Amino acid sequence: MTLRSKAIMTSTSDKREHLYKILVIGGLGTGKTSFIKRYVHQFFSQNYRATIGVDFALKVLQWDANTIVRLQLWDIAGQERFGNMTRVYYKEAVGAFIVFDVTRSGTFDCVSKWKEDLDSKVQLPDGSPIPCILLANKCDQEKQGIITQPEKMDEYVRENGFAGWFETSAKENINIDEAARALVNKILINDKLISADLADGDKFNLSAADATGSDAKNKCSC
């Protein structure tokens, strides 16, 4: 077991299955549940109840011919940062999304606090922060604040240790798969670097996740 994932070898070949815990965190009403529903079920609704505590979803990716990746997505309620339960929720996570609402600049103001909370409570086995991608959600609507200046977003992401950022819209299905694929890339690279039970010749196809359609509408600043 490496990177707190479960790698399962089949008896007939080098096929592998990985299970990774991914956190989806951010302020109230930023669209965390909508992001997960769109990614996992290709579904969007205007009428989600606020998440209480934590909810879960599972996404299975045929990453390449020999690799299946199972993502356990933890949808953590926006108010949970102010309690002590986040340490329990974060345990054994290997990647995260932090979500803010581009129509409410106040939700961006809380991003650094979420990132600090995350970095203080969960790390990779080597002690480094888990990869985290920032999602500027609801980009189909009128934007306010720093998101209107992409170069400042790039700078913010670099200075605060994010793996990258995407403008996303669960409603219009903008950059949902692309953002998730970028995070899984980071996780698999970390797993490859840290893993002691992978042969040196093993390679991950880092562009092969269940991608369909065209290139990302807004590129990650990785």
Side-chain angles (χ1 to χ4, degrees):
M1 186 178 297
T2 62
L3 200 62
R4 289 159 291 182
S5 72
K6 298 176 182 177
I8 306 166
M9 294 293 293
T10 68
S11 59
T12 57
S13 70
D14 290 335
K15 292 185 182 296
R16 292 178 175 274
E17 294 187 19
H18 297 272
L19 174 62
Y20 295 123
K21 177 178 175 179
I22 307 294
L23 306 174
V24 184
I25 58 181
L28 288 166
T30 54
K32 299 182 296 296
T33 300
S34 294
F35 169 80
I36 292 172
K37 294 291 187 184
R38 172 62 78 179
Y39 180 52
V40 174
H41 303 295
Q42 292 300 308
F43 174 79
F44 176 80
S45 171
Q46 297 279 11
N47 302 308
Y48 289 122
R49 294 180 179 178
T51 302
I52 305 299
V54 64
D55 202 357
F56 310 92
L58 183 68
K59 176 76 170 182
V60 180
L61 306 175
Q62 182 69 53
W63 192 259
D64 61 26
N66 297 315
T67 310
I68 293 175
V69 175
R70 301 179 188 273
L71 304 178
Q72 187 183 71
L73 297 152
W74 284 52
D75 180 4
I76 297 173
Q79 71 270 23
E80 289 297 326
R81 182 177 59 83
F82 302 104
N84 294 321
M85 288 302 294
T86 54
R87 188 176 299 278
V88 176
Y89 295 151
Y90 294 174
K91 186 178 180 181
E92 297 188 346
V94 296
F97 296 104
I98 294 179
V99 187
F100 74 97
D101 179 349
V102 301
T103 72
R104 295 185 291 138
S105 59
T107 62
F108 178 79
D109 295 338
C110 295
V111 165
S112 60
K113 294 179 182 178
W114 280 102
K115 186 65 161 63
E116 290 168 7
D117 187 59
L118 179 71
D119 291 348
S120 69
K121 293 176 179 175
V122 62
Q123 294 85 34
L124 296 177
D126 66 356
S128 61
I130 66 173
C132 180
I133 285 181
L134 181 60
L135 301 183
N137 198 34
K138 307 186 185 180
C139 70
D140 57 291
Q141 302 181 40
E142 187 174 352
K143 304 166 192 174
Q144 60 175 249
I146 190 175
I147 189 61
T148 62
Q149 303 175 71
E151 68 284 354
K152 288 191 177 296
M153 282 293 296
D154 291 340
E155 182 181 355
Y156 177 87
V157 162
R158 286 193 301 269
E159 290 180 350
N160 288 274
F162 286 93
W165 71 280
F166 284 83
E167 291 188 26
T168 57
S169 169
K171 180 179 180 181
E172 300 297 333
N173 197 19
I174 297 171
N175 285 338
I176 303 299
D177 288 342
E178 290 83 357
R181 190 160 60 249
L183 183 61
V184 176
N185 278 347
K186 297 287 187 182
I187 292 169
L188 287 173
I189 289 168
N190 284 336
D191 208 358
K192 173 63 176 173
L193 292 174
I194 295 171
S195 175
D197 66 347
L198 291 180
D200 289 342
D202 285 353
K203 302 293 183 183
F204 286 112
N205 181 356
L206 296 182
S207 61
D210 61 342
T212 58
S214 60
D215 291 339
K217 300 178 181 66
N218 185 71
K219 294 296 184 182
C220 171
S221 59
C222 300

